[in-house]
Amino acid sequence: MQIRDSMVPLGDGVVLEVRRIRHEQSRGPTLVFLHESLGSIALWRKIPERLAKATGYDALIYNRRGYGQSTDEPLPRPYDYQEQEGSVWLPRLLDKLAIDEVVLVGHSDGGSMALLAAGALRSRAVALITMAAHTYADHLTVAGIKEMAVRYRETDIREKLQRHHGARTDAIFNAWQEVWLDEGFQQAMDFGPSLAAIECPAMIIQGQGDEYGVPEQVTDIAAGIGPSARAVFLPDTGHSPHLERADEVLALMCDFLKSAVTKKAE
C-alpha cells in the first residue's frame, strides 16, 4: 500500500488536506473516513490503514475546513454545518478525486455527516458505518459538552489537543462547544427525516457507556434507515469505540463489509 498526503483545491477558495491509502491493484469501493469535532486525519490513528489492508480497499481520510492544513471554516459555525459537509463538500471532494463508489466511516460529528452524505450520494454509497453519530442534540450530548468545556479550562485537555491542532486548538474547540450549546441549534437539529434517503446497508455502532449520546440515537437511526441498518451496542465502551476496542471494531467492520459490498455487487 502507498500512503500519500496532498492538498486538494475544491473551488470557492477551499483547499482540503487529504491522505490517500492506495493498493497497487485497487478493487472495490473507497473507504472514506469522516472525523469527529475534535478529530483530524492523525487522530484516526492506524484504523484507516488497518481497515484498508484487511479489506483490500483504497482509503481517503481528510481534514475538514478549519482543521489541519485545510482552509479556514466560516465562524461562528452555522446551524447547518453538518449538512454542508455531508451534502456539499464531501461530494465535491469525491468528484474532484474521481472517486465513485464509497464506504462511509464516520465518528461522532463525522458519523452524523456520514449519514447525510449517504443520503446525498445515493447509489455511490455502497455501505455506511457510524460510531457515536447523532441525529439530534440529546441531554447527554449537551451535558457532556458542558463538562468538557469545564475540563478544557481547568485541566490539561487543551494542552493535549494542541499537540494535534496547534494554533487552531482554541478556534476548533470553541466552534464545537459554542454551536452545540446554542439552544437554537439544539432545537433546529433533526436529521431524522433525512435517513429515509439512505439506500445502502448500514452498521450503527455506539458504546453502551457513551457519555455523549443516549442509546436511542442508535435505535432511532436504524429505524429511520430501515431493514438494511444494523444497530450494534458495545459493552464497557465509551464515545470512541474504534480507539477503545480497536481489534473488535475492526473485526465487526470487516464482517459487515464482506456482506454489504457483496450484496451491492450482486
Side-chain angles (χ1 to χ4, degrees):
M1 297 189 302
Q2 289 187 339
I3 301 176
R4 181 171 297 175
D5 295 342
S6 63
M7 303 299 294
V8 179
L10 298 183
D12 298 322
V14 173
V15 180
L16 297 185
E17 182 182 10
V18 165
R19 175 168 296 167
R20 299 191 72 177
I21 302 173
R22 307 182 81 168
H23 296 268
E24 187 173 342
Q25 293 184 331
S26 301
R27 60 178 178 85
T30 298
L31 302 162
V32 179
F33 292 84
L34 294 88
H35 65 73
E36 60 158 312
S37 284
L38 302 179
S40 65
I41 292 173
L43 285 169
W44 278 105
R45 311 297 187 192
K46 292 292 185 179
I47 296 298
E49 187 175 347
R50 292 181 66 187
L51 189 58
K53 183 177 182 179
T55 59
Y57 303 153
D58 291 348
L60 167 68
I61 316 99
Y62 70 102
N63 280 328
R64 296 193 294 272
R65 293 174 301 162
Y67 294 80
Q69 300 302 313
S70 295
T71 304
D72 289 339
E73 66 175 315
L75 294 175
R77 251 176 216 172
Y79 287 176
D80 67 344
Y81 77 97
Q82 294 169 97
E83 292 97 319
Q84 289 184 29
E85 293 296 338
S87 61
V88 177
W89 293 109
L90 177 55
R92 191 180 291 191
L93 175 61
L94 297 178
D95 289 345
K96 180 72 175 183
L97 296 175
I99 294 173
D100 185 18
E101 292 188 332
V102 297
V103 172
L104 299 168
V105 183
H107 174 228
S108 194
D109 237 19
S112 301
M113 293 169 188
L115 291 169
L116 295 163
L121 292 168
R122 296 286 185 166
S123 62
R124 291 174 70 183
V126 301
L128 167 67
I129 300 171
T130 68
M131 296 171 287
H134 295 78
T135 58
Y136 50 88
D138 66 60
H139 70 278
L140 281 184
T141 312
V142 175
I145 293 172
K146 287 180 177 178
E147 180 182 353
M148 178 59 86
V150 173
R151 291 172 61 199
Y152 188 78
R153 294 192 301 269
E154 298 180 356
T155 71
D156 63 350
I157 290 291
R158 181 174 181 269
E159 180 181 339
K160 290 179 178 178
L161 287 172
Q162 282 180 321
R163 298 171 193 168
H164 303 284
H165 300 300
R168 280 180 156 172
T169 302
D170 287 340
I172 288 171
F173 188 88
N174 290 331
W176 169 62
Q177 62 101 13
E178 285 173 3
V179 71
W180 275 89
L181 297 182
D182 184 320
E183 291 185 3
F185 171 80
Q186 295 170 20
Q187 294 170 5
M189 184 181 175
D190 179 12
F191 301 151
S194 301
L195 299 175
I198 298 174
E199 302 174 355
C200 62
M203 183 166 65
I204 312 302
I205 303 171
Q206 185 164 305
Q208 288 184 348
D210 192 333
E211 62 273 35
Y212 289 98
V214 296
E216 289 79 9
Q217 293 281 359
V218 171
T219 53
D220 288 348
I221 291 170
I225 295 172
S228 64
R230 172 188 172 195
V232 177
F233 289 99
L234 296 177
D236 303 316
T237 308
H239 189 61
S240 301
H242 58 302
L243 301 181
E244 298 170 46
R245 303 174 74 98
D247 291 345
E248 182 178 347
V249 169
L250 282 166
L252 281 169
M253 289 179 176
C254 288
D255 288 344
F256 166 71
L257 291 175
K258 284 178 185 176
S259 172
V261 177
T262 299
K263 287 180 181 178
K264 174 69 177 180
E266 295 174 350

